[in-house]
Amino acid sequence: MNVFIVGGGAREHTIAWKLSLSADVKNLYVAPGNAGTARIAENIPIEAGDIEGLLKSISEHDIQLVVVGPEIPLSKGLVDRLQEKGMAVFGPSKAAAQIEASKAFSKDFMARHKIPAAKSQTFTLYEDAKKHIDAASFPLVLKADGLSQGKGVIIAGTSDEAESALESIMVKKAFGSAGDAVIIEEFLSGRELSAFAFTDSRFTSPLVTACDYKRIYDGNIGPNTGGMGSYSPPEFYTPALGGEISATIMQPVIKYLNEENRPYKGVLYGGLMLTGHGPKVLEFNARFGDPETQVILPRLENDLLDVMLAISGNRLEQLQLKWSAKSCVGVVMASGGYPGSYQTGYTVTGLDDVDQDILVFHAGTKLNGQGEVVTSGGRVLTVVATGSSIEEARMKVYSNIGRISFKDCYYRKDIALLREI
Ligand code: AMP
Ligand code: GLY
């Protein structure tokens, strides 16, 4: 089969790598891909948001399955357009992807269907939001409504911080039109968990879970990023907890999305807080997480192509997902300055100097005119190891990561070490 993957991050490199292990995959295409996917697939220079360009290229390549990695093409309806043509697709419809693309929709949906979540209010007028802040107690969480690459969430400890966050979202438009509405919600404390359920809309699979480190600096301080590292499975995860999350959150969400005519084929990602009053939703994503995918897919014992075809063909219930009991740890190497501004174009060295069992997934990389790998984004690589314990996997990653370098490279030193997050 020929498979077309949309996206160019480490998540898509991981998906491409896993699919490349399938005996039934003949040609793999990734649009736009990166220097890592170029080693195992054919890159097609079309951006993930260019729906017409993607549709044209897909129709030219005799494709049997399309896998949509990032949120932008999902929110623009790529899946619907492909399904109209009868294509097999892994990814939710535009209407279902609203669960991620609009936090206001998602919050309203959860309230309507009594899905446990942080209490919140949505504001479209700056003045109303400001009044709400003036009367509130702290900490409080402010979120831009739309897509903002994981950066549109600000936890305000004081009213001054909340006011400046509100101004940056709604007045200065730090996240563009994503800030036309703002969500102000209660601060929840507890442990965070990323939970993933595969679904063909009819059947929703048991969970696979990971922990993600969103803050830029060691000790979980500094601004939020797209994610600086991850590990799976979390040691506190139990089948009973998984059962509770499936029954109170993941299964009802897919059922109600269906009832609202929002078909979902793919993976639903719940960003959860495990509070004293049970698991609550912080946000949903309509896709695999990044960097969670880099530590989840190496644990998948099924052929990923089988899983994706079962989903597109409504046969997921007949397939049992199997996850290795091994632990997997991934550490993101970023460009110095990220998540703020940073330089690109630096040569990456040492990629082939890591031990054989280390996986290096590329994100912001490309090949320059001389065929060298150079940096081209904020998050550059995820270095991943598997071990019989989290500790073993962590030690393997950190004993290898220093062999790879590029100018101003930055990574956290405490991924999977600091586990009380
Ligand atoms: P989100 O993009 O909504 O997942 O938020 C990014 C990060 O902000 C989360 O991973 C949490 O660490 C934090 N966060 C979001 N909402 C809340 C909340 N209501 N209470 C506490 N922390 C939150
Ligand atoms: N790991 C956060 C995200 O993928 O949105």
Side-chain angles (χ1 to χ4, degrees), residues 11 71 100 149-150 194 196 211-214 225-230 269 283-285 287-293 379:
R11 166 184 48 212
E71 56 275 24
E100 169 169 11
Q149 297 187 308
S194 301
F196 299 86
C211 287
D212 172 24
Y213 293 73
K214 291 214 168 74
T225 68
M228 295 303 293
S230 189
Y269 163 178
E283 66 158 1
F284 281 115
N285 295 315
R287 50 168 175 83
F288 276 118
D290 186 342
E292 291 96 328
T293 308
R379 291 191 293 174

Side-chain angles (χ1 to χ4, degrees), residues 36-59:
T37 60
R39 288 187 173 190
I40 53 172
E42 182 181 328
N43 283 351
I44 296 184
I46 300 175
E47 290 305 317
D50 178 359
I51 304 301
E52 300 307 324
L54 290 168
L55 287 167
K56 183 161 179 287
S57 179
I58 290 165
S59 70

Side-chain angles (χ1 to χ4, degrees), residues 15-278:
I15 294 169
W17 162 76
K18 193 72 185 174
L19 284 171
S20 74
L21 304 178
S22 170
D24 294 325
V25 171
K26 190 167 155 222
N27 294 307
L28 259 181
Y29 303 94
V30 189
N34 55 43
T37 60
R39 288 187 173 190
I40 53 172
E42 182 181 328
N43 283 351
I44 296 184
I46 300 175
E47 290 305 317
D50 178 359
I51 304 301
E52 300 307 324
L54 290 168
L55 287 167
K56 183 161 179 287
S57 179
I58 290 165
S59 70
E60 287 166 0
H61 281 92
D62 184 27
I63 299 300
Q64 280 77 47
L65 173 71
V66 179
V67 182
V68 187
E71 56 275 24
I72 304 263
L74 294 171
S75 69
K76 287 184 166 181
L78 177 61
V79 168
D80 309 60
R81 297 282 300 277
L82 289 165
Q83 281 172 342
E84 278 162 21
K85 300 178 179 205
M87 296 272 328
V89 192
F90 181 89
S93 61
K94 177 178 180 176
Q98 283 289 99
I99 196 95
E100 169 169 11
S102 166
K103 288 191 193 280
F105 166 81
S106 170
K107 283 284 171 185
D108 190 48
F109 177 88
M110 287 189 275
R112 259 197 326 271
H113 298 298
K114 305 204 165 38
I115 306 293
K119 286 200 196 71
S120 72
Q121 272 183 270
T122 301
F123 300 92
T124 48
L125 292 177
Y126 170 81
E127 281 307 319
D128 293 347
K130 183 154 177 332
K131 265 190 219 145
H132 181 84
I133 289 173
D134 289 343
S137 50
F138 295 87
L140 258 191
V141 185
L142 286 91
K143 302 184 174 185
D145 172 42
L147 297 174
S148 46
Q149 297 187 308
K151 297 172 201 161
V153 174
I154 297 146
I155 295 169
T158 63
S159 68
D160 280 355
E161 278 173 31
E163 279 180 25
S164 81
L166 179 65
E167 203 174 299
S168 115
I169 295 174
M170 287 198 106
V171 182
K172 295 184 186 147
K173 297 278 179 194
F175 309 104
S177 61
D180 289 351
V182 69
I183 286 89
I184 303 185
E185 72 178 28
E186 67 171 326
F187 176 82
L188 295 178
S189 45
R191 286 193 103 150
E192 261 189 82
L193 180 70
S194 301
F196 299 86
F198 291 82
T199 182
D200 57 10
S201 251
R202 302 172 186 200
F203 177 78
T204 302
S205 77
L207 306 181
V208 58
T209 58
C211 287
D212 172 24
Y213 293 73
K214 291 214 168 74
R215 303 292 191 108
I216 184 76
Y217 300 124
D218 285 11
N220 287 329
I221 52 177
N224 269 324
T225 68
M228 295 303 293
S230 189
Y231 69 92
S232 175
E235 72 282 25
F236 57 84
Y237 180 75
T238 59
L241 175 61
E244 183 184 0
I245 295 168
S246 292
T248 60
I249 297 173
M250 306 306 255
Q251 287 173 357
V253 164
I254 296 299
K255 173 174 159 255
Y256 292 126
L257 283 174
N258 249 321
E259 283 179 14
E260 293 188 5
N261 203 17
R262 301 173 187 272
Y264 204 119
K265 285 181 184 296
V267 63
L268 175 66
Y269 163 178
L272 312 176
M273 189 71 89
L274 307 180
T275 74
H277 302 283

